[in-house]
Amino acid sequence: MSSGQLEDVPAPTAMDLVRPSNSSRVLARLLVAALALIAVVLLLTPWQQSAPGAGRVVAYAPDERRQNLEAPIDGRVLRWFVREGSLVEQGDPIVGLTDNDPEILVRLRAERDAFTERLNAAKARAWSLESRIDALEASRISGIAAAESRIRMANQRVIASDQALALAVATLNAAKLNIERQTSLAEEGLTSTRQLELTELEATRAQTEVERARVALVAAQSEQVALTSDRKKIENDASASINDARAAQAAAEAEVASASAELSRMEVRLARQSAQSVRAPRDGTVFRIVANGHAGEIVKAGDVLAVLVPDTNDRAVELWVSGNDMPLVSEGARARIQFEGWPAVQFTGWPSAAVGTFPGRVKFIDAHDDGAGQFRVVVVPEAGAAWPSASYLRQGVRTQGWIQLGRVSLGYELWRQFNGFPPSPSNEPELRKRDTKADATGGDT
């Protein structure tokens, strides 16, 4: 090529030197599209917030949880009927006990018979006193009736004496008038002295009758007062006797109550001594034999002999949730449970994609923490959902749980995590109410 031809090619400009290549422009467009797509995904992708917790499997009913079998009496272990891990039914013997005193039952029965006789004697005394009170009541009524009859008779005598006194006074007045007439007639010579003397004698007799009638009236009135006082005395004496009998009856009834209490205590003691075999309160498995397990061991009443784990299909999960999340958890909230030893893949943000976890519902939340800021939340199986069988899911199996809270976008969840904000409460109150109502009626949610 000649030098003239080389001079015809233009030299590259500065813009040509900094212009991006086609591959760079394609890569930049791809990055912008990817960022836009990620932003859209973050805004549109839903995320299920949850409150995590750890716990264990328990029986929902308290009487179906682990139970301690205690010794009912002081004594010695006579024989063990089970071993650790033995399956027992309700009423099966666990351990046989015997008292240190082989004659204790005979002595207790004799003491019980003595208390029974004491109780019967106290009852007989109380019944006798009740009969005596009835007799005294009848005697008081009869005595008062007789006294009132005598008072009525005295009242009649007072009336008769008063009438007799009035008659005597009237006779005396008539005699005095007769004396005046006879005196006037004697002064005129129309009557004899003998007649005047007889008139004066009649007046004297009339005066005597008046005095006698007054004395009789006073005596009748005194008798009336005396009989009234005698009636009060009879009533007071009878009431005092009845009160004494009632006090004695109260003492007898107190003795009956005391003897009954002593007899009841003796019956309880005898029953405890007779119950020398500890039996299974319900079907279950002997979890642990606390006593040494050999015959002849000395035990005291209340000592734990063995631990029984009842058989139950009514299971629940105790989850311990942080106090930071507890205010967001409410009864009826959904939960996902992962059991120890059960293969599972959990996606907390997308519960529907989880594998090996089981649905549940929050049954209740404790009103107080455990002293370390953790609150117990009891979760039961969701209606229509089955948990693993009891042979795999035994009491005490450790669990992980996630209690579902509000639904937000994935972008908001990342922003919340970066800033350390707490999760949001459930934003489905109406759905939760409907689910809770369905649980109560036994329907599917």
Side-chain angles (χ1 to χ4, degrees):
M1 183 179 295
S2 65
S3 59
Q5 292 177 341
L6 291 176
E7 290 177 357
D8 292 338
V9 176
T13 64
M15 183 61 69
D16 294 333
L17 295 177
V18 298
R19 187 183 303 276
S21 63
N22 292 333
S23 60
S24 299
R25 287 195 295 271
V26 171
L27 179 59
R29 293 190 183 97
L30 290 177
L31 290 176
V32 171
L35 291 175
L37 179 62
I38 290 174
V40 172
V41 168
L42 291 178
L43 290 176
L44 299 180
T45 301
W47 182 267
Q48 176 67 64
Q49 293 181 326
S50 61
R56 61 189 179 94
V57 176
V58 296
Y60 181 70
D63 59 346
E64 294 181 349
R65 298 174 187 172
R66 189 173 71 174
Q67 301 178 9
N68 294 331
L69 304 181
E70 301 175 349
I73 61 171
D74 296 339
R76 293 180 295 107
V77 175
L78 184 64
R79 178 186 176 188
W80 284 96
F81 298 96
V82 296
R83 299 179 181 274
E84 291 184 352
S86 298
L87 301 178
V88 295
E89 297 181 356
Q90 184 177 0
D92 288 349
I94 302 296
V95 58
L97 303 176
T98 182
D99 196 90
N100 297 326
D101 183 4
E103 300 295 329
I104 185 65
L105 292 178
V106 176
R107 294 189 178 90
L108 289 178
R109 290 192 183 98
E111 192 172 353
R112 180 194 59 184
D113 295 340
F115 279 118
T116 303
E117 293 178 359
R118 175 186 169 190
L119 176 61
N120 293 334
K123 288 181 178 180
R125 182 166 176 247
W127 180 83
S128 176
L129 288 170
E130 185 177 0
S131 300
R132 182 185 175 190
I133 290 173
D134 294 339
L136 289 173
E137 289 281 1
S139 177
R140 179 176 66 174
I141 293 172
S142 299
I144 291 174
E148 289 178 348
S149 298
R150 290 192 294 271
I151 291 173
R152 286 194 295 270
M153 293 172 62
N155 292 336
Q156 295 296 328
R157 282 194 291 270
V158 169
I159 294 172
S161 298
D162 188 44
Q163 293 175 353
L165 177 60
L167 179 60
V169 170
T171 303
L172 177 61
N173 292 333
K176 288 180 178 180
L177 293 175
N178 194 18
I179 289 174
E180 292 177 359
R181 286 194 299 268
Q182 292 297 328
T183 302
S184 298
L185 292 173
E187 290 177 354
E188 295 176 359
L190 297 177
T191 185
S192 63
T193 304
R194 175 64 179 170
Q195 186 64 36
L196 180 59
E197 291 176 351
L198 290 175
T199 302
E200 292 177 350
L201 179 61
E202 288 297 329
T204 302
R205 288 176 180 175
Q207 182 67 39
T208 303
E209 289 297 329
V210 169
E211 296 298 331
R212 183 181 299 171
R214 284 177 179 166
V215 171
L217 178 59
V218 171
Q221 290 175 344
S222 299
E223 184 181 8
Q224 183 186 35
V225 173
L227 290 175
T228 303
S229 300
D230 186 59
R231 179 194 178 282
K232 292 182 179 179
K233 181 178 182 300
I234 291 173
E235 184 176 4
N236 293 335
D237 290 344
S239 298
S241 299
I242 291 173
N243 291 335
D244 291 341
R246 285 176 177 169
Q249 184 187 26
E253 291 177 350
E255 186 176 357
V256 169
S258 176
S260 298
E262 291 291 341
L263 182 60
S264 298
R265 284 193 289 268
M266 183 54 59
E267 292 285 357
V268 171
R269 186 178 176 189
L270 183 60
R272 288 179 177 176
Q273 291 293 338
S274 300
Q276 296 182 0
S277 177
V278 178
R279 298 181 178 274
R282 58 186 306 118
D283 299 349
T285 304
V286 178
F287 171 65
R288 188 81 68 228
I289 294 179
V290 180
N292 291 334
H294 58 80
E297 181 183 0
I298 303 296
V299 295
K300 295 182 179 179
D303 287 351
V304 178
L305 301 178
V307 179
L308 178 71
V309 178
D311 294 337
T312 178
N313 291 320
D314 188 13
R315 291 155 297 157
V317 169
E318 289 181 340
L319 292 179
W320 296 95
V321 178
S322 170
N324 188 46
D325 297 333
M326 185 276 299
L328 306 175
V329 179
S330 61
E331 295 182 6
R334 287 191 175 95
R336 300 297 300 186
I337 306 299
Q338 177 182 348
F339 300 106
E340 185 180 40
W342 199 266
V345 177
Q346 169 65 14
F347 297 96
T348 57
W350 300 289
S352 59
V355 178
T357 60
F358 298 87
R361 288 278 185 174
V362 174
K363 190 65 177 179
F364 65 88
I365 307 167
D366 279 353
H368 199 278
D369 70 335
D370 62 349
Q374 299 287 321
F375 288 82
R376 188 181 68 138
V377 178
V378 176
V379 178
V380 297
E382 190 171 10
W387 285 5
S389 63
S391 59
Y392 297 104
L393 200 61
R394 301 185 179 185
Q395 296 188 44
V397 172
R398 290 183 296 182
T399 62
Q400 292 287 333
W402 296 267
I403 302 172
Q404 297 176 11
L405 303 176
R407 289 177 184 155
V408 297
S409 65
L410 180 59
Y412 175 82
E413 178 66 15
L414 292 176
W415 175 81
R416 181 190 71 82
Q417 293 284 353
F418 291 152
N419 290 275
F421 291 165
S424 303
S426 175
N427 51 11
E428 297 178 348
E430 297 299 328
L431 178 61
R432 181 170 301 174
K433 289 181 181 179
R434 186 167 63 251
D435 293 339
T436 304
K437 184 176 180 181
D439 289 343
T441 57
D444 295 336
T445 56

